[in-house]
Amino acid sequence: MKEDWFQGSPKFSRRAFFSRMAGGAGLYILASKKSWAAPPISVPVKFTDVARASGINFKQDSTTSVQKYYLETMGTGLGWIDYDQDGLYDLFLVQSSKTPAYTPPQPLRCALYRNNGDGTFIDVTEKAGVGSEGLYGQGCAVGDYDNDGYPDLYVTGYSRAILYHNNGNGTFTDVTAKAGVADEGGWSTSAAWFDYDKDGYLDLVVCNYIEWSPQNNLYCGEHRPGYRAYCHPDNYRGQRIKLYHNNHDGTFTDVSVKSGVGVPEAKGMGVVCADFNDDGWTDIAIANDTWPNFLFINKKNGTFEDNSFISGIAASADGKYEAGMGIDAEDVDGDGWADVYITHLDFELNRLYHNNHDGTFDDDTYSSGIGNKAIFLSGVAAKFMDYDNDGWIDICQVNSAMLDNIQLYHTEVTYKEPKLMFRNLGHGKFDKVSNLLGPDFMRDTAGRGLAVADFDNDGDLDFAVNNRGDYPQLLRNDGGNANNWLKVFLIGTKSNRDGIGARLKLVSEDFVQVRQAVGGASYMGASDTRIHFGLGQRKSIDSLEITWPSGAVEKYAKVPLNQIITVKEGEGIIPRKFPKVPSR
């Protein structure tokens, strides 16, 4: 990634030229030997795009210009948020804005679509007050930072970010200045809410990217019509990760340097907060673009230790710093420890790092079966999800080259690309099954943000994609709920309201799954926070044990199958409605 691809001119972007001329809630599964056999495809699943039919008419503006602003490549993210707490997840889509080189035909704004519960959505952006006009948005993070029972919304963007406080009446208030989380001058991409000090309030970690501006935008590529390219990230200094500590009064303190998280230079794209060393404290993993990936281990005293290089996730097995974008964490092989998946661009590999239980990771990309099966695709966002409810977590990924004229440089690579699904065969071994999931799943798009949610509350996982310069997709899972399942909605009391950092251990016959509620994951997106367990054809749940961030441990016997249950810390399973949405 350090090479000069065009002698005498600024280095070409990996996004622009190697495509260029060289051509993720951690799931822990503890299963008996009897259940380790690779499960057959027991239920057929198709994904159906219902976005336009459901009333979602948002269109992302790519702000493309002849100046090839680096900002244009990024696209924007999206997030699921039950903002009105009616048990139905609503969809927030992040939008760009005008630039010195591009003026849109009409003003641009983000969009919030309310889930009507009948298979349709309605645009409530204006009433809710979350349009973020004038912000060149990037991504979002959802979390109840003041523990009032209503999720709040953080919108990242170029040069600043916005924190919207949920007023509990269908509206939000911009409290960025009061809260102190504007990230002024930063190019914030992904962000995550998590409680790093276990004080019962959510803190905020924000990825920042590079020191680019319209004023220092360089010319890269060939000097002939249509061949101008976006420049390599090495032409720009990286920024720093931000960590904001929640002061419990609606304000935050910037502890980036004090905590150690904001010390190294970064080119942050994706973030996931999970417990990687099994000590009960949440750590931070960050995917960096052409820069060492980060792993910050929580030292339990308000500081983090930078274990990026020691751990082995900083680079690929052959020592390369690749174009890290999307990231997630799950136990994919059933050993009880969280592994890490990071997406990269074409002619690189999407990396799966196996947790060795001793603070180190091995690059298991080839041994897992993922290998070079997506060598011509540019991986952007990815989420672990058990799409067929067989109890083993799969990998869903959206793809697209960063350069819209990529075929001028390489005929084997296209700008718009299909999605990927790697099905987990049960030993942390994966097989690509994308072409079995229907034409809507395989439709070529310029995919950017990816967020997973069971938006229709029918027991299988759906997902939405924000596509650069195009309409989004809402991919409804048709068939996954033929297998059994359980979904758990957490309400913390002594712990943070969202229960982030909690661990859940479910025993079903001969199968044990242990999961933790994590923060962040994917790329500039926010997913359904309910903990989802696929159970295959198992007929009963023997027990469910929850260890809350506060240290409290609660155990429930004979939990019913195929339900969404709500567990409140200190009170147990309580009534709460999650209406099932009829198919249209």
Side-chain angles (χ1 to χ4, degrees), residues 308-364:
S308 306
F309 290 96
I310 296 173
S311 70
I313 77 163
S316 64
D318 52 358
K320 293 181 179 179
Y321 305 144
E322 297 174 310
M325 298 185 71
I327 189 170
D328 203 357
E330 294 279 6
D331 170 28
V332 300
D333 60 350
D335 65 358
W337 294 69
D339 309 300
V340 177
Y341 185 77
I342 301 178
T343 67
H344 300 104
L345 298 189
D346 48 65
F347 297 100
E348 297 174 339
L349 301 180
N350 301 298
R351 301 286 174 178
L352 180 63
Y353 295 96
H354 174 259
N355 193 324
N356 295 324
H357 315 173
D358 59 1
T360 69
F361 291 74
D362 285 336
D363 185 342
D364 270 11

Side-chain angles (χ1 to χ4, degrees), residues 46-47 419 434-444 473 475:
K46 302 292 183 184
F47 285 92
K419 284 164 281 295
S434 312
N435 61 350
L436 302 179
L437 302 179
D440 289 342
F441 187 91
M442 290 299 293
R443 183 166 73 85
D444 291 347
Q473 288 180 289
L475 280 299

Side-chain angles (χ1 to χ4, degrees), residues 98-156:
K98 66 179 294 185
T99 73
Y102 173 80
T103 300
Q106 62 277 328
L108 300 175
R109 67 176 189 178
C110 299
L112 176 62
Y113 283 90
R114 182 180 183 272
N115 188 337
N116 294 323
D118 61 359
T120 68
F121 289 76
I122 186 171
D123 188 336
V124 295
T125 312
E126 185 174 357
K127 177 182 177 181
V130 292
S132 311
E133 292 86 348
L135 173 71
Y136 199 111
Q138 291 288 261
C140 63
V142 174
D144 184 1
Y145 74 85
D146 58 353
N147 293 333
D148 66 353
Y150 287 89
D152 309 298
L153 179 64
Y154 188 72
V155 185
T156 61

Side-chain angles (χ1 to χ4, degrees), residues 76-96:
T76 55
L78 72 171
W80 292 100
I81 175 172
D82 182 6
Y83 80 100
D84 53 1
Q85 290 295 281
D86 63 354
L88 296 162
Y89 273 71
D90 314 297
L91 184 61
F92 180 76
L93 294 150
V94 182
Q95 183 61 285
S96 57

Side-chain angles (χ1 to χ4, degrees), residues 224-282:
R224 53 177 171 150
Y227 279 77
R228 184 170 182 176
Y230 298 101
C231 295
H232 193 285
D234 281 357
N235 286 290
Y236 304 99
R237 293 185 61 87
Q239 296 191 328
R240 298 292 193 277
I241 306 300
K242 289 291 184 70
L243 180 61
Y244 295 102
H245 177 260
N246 192 326
N247 299 325
H248 311 177
D249 60 1
T251 69
F252 292 77
T253 298
D254 185 342
V255 295
S256 308
V257 175
K258 179 182 178 182
S259 68
V261 170
V263 173
E265 184 177 345
K267 296 183 179 181
M269 296 289 259
V271 58
V272 62
C273 300
D275 179 6
F276 293 103
N277 59 353
D278 202 29
D279 66 353
W281 292 72
T282 306

